[in-house]
């Protein structure tokens, strides 16, 4: 594997990692479906395992999106290990902040994602993703609000 191929692969995989988070936050079905191989598995501890692009959409549409009014993921500490030229293992941390539908309150969730990426026919996608939740903490009495909601217009 050349240094250039390794760098290009890292960039493609970092985009996949971000695409996963952006797709869930922005409720972008096309982006979410496009990042999985048909035989991929997405496991979220305590929720279940979902297979392929259809499973990812099922998880989003029937579990994740109904749970939140809105959410935002912050992904960090992505570390990639090349197993071969076409297979990479990754680990990264994710912080999620959001407003739950139930109870109309905010929540903080912290997970460790262990991922497997594969390149097939020159394209990198997820082959496995495992989300292990470290914290699932409702923030009692807190509801995240958009900027400006707490400020009266001048002259009011």
């Amino acid at each position: 594997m050349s240094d250039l191929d390794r760098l290009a692969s890292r960039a493609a995989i970092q985009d996949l990692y971000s695409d996963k988070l952006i797709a869930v936050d922005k409720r972008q079905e096309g982006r979410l479906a496009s990042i999985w191989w048909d035989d991929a598995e997405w496991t979220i501890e305590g929720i279940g395992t979902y297979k392929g692009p259809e499973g990812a959409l099922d998880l989003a549409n029937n579990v994740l999106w109904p749970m939140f009014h809105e959410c935002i993921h912050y992904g960090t500490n992505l570390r990639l290990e090349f197993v071969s030229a076409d297979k990479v293992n990754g680990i990264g941390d994710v912080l999620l902040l959001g407003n739950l539908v139930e109870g109309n309150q905010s929540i903080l969730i912290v997970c460790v994602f262990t991922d497997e990426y594969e390149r097939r026919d020159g394209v990198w996608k997820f082959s496995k993703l495992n989300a292990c939740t470290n914290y699932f903490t409702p923030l009692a009495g807190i509801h995240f609000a958009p900027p400006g909601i707490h400020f009266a217009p001048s002259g009011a």
Side-chain angles (χ1 to χ4, degrees), residues 10 13 24 27 56 66 77 81 83 91 100 109 117 126 130 139 143 145-146 148 154:
R10 280 188 181 280
I13 291 167
V24 172
R27 300 179 187 228
N77 297 334
E81 175 190 351
V83 177
I91 187 168
L100 291 171
I109 301 172
Y117 307 87
F126 283 98
N130 184 58
L139 303 172
H143 184 81
S154 56

Side-chain angles (χ1 to χ4, degrees), residues 65-134:
W65 293 337
M67 187 185 312
F68 296 99
H69 285 293
E70 63 278 319
C71 64
I72 187 164
H73 289 79
Y74 296 98
T76 188
N77 297 334
L78 178 61
R79 181 74 170 114
L80 302 175
E81 175 190 351
F82 282 82
V83 177
S84 69
D86 296 319
K87 185 170 177 154
V88 170
N89 291 336
I91 187 168
D93 299 317
V94 173
L95 169 71
L96 179 150
L97 297 171
N99 288 320
L100 291 171
V101 170
E102 186 177 318
N104 197 30
Q105 70 173 29
S106 298
I107 191 161
L108 177 141
I109 301 172
V110 177
C111 296
V112 175
F113 284 24
T114 52
D115 308 325
E116 293 179 16
Y117 307 87
E118 287 184 22
R119 177 167 50 184
R120 301 178 189 172
D121 297 322
V123 176
W124 285 100
K125 292 187 180 186
F126 283 98
S127 57
K128 285 192 180 178
L129 186 153
N130 184 58
C132 177
T133 303
N134 294 78

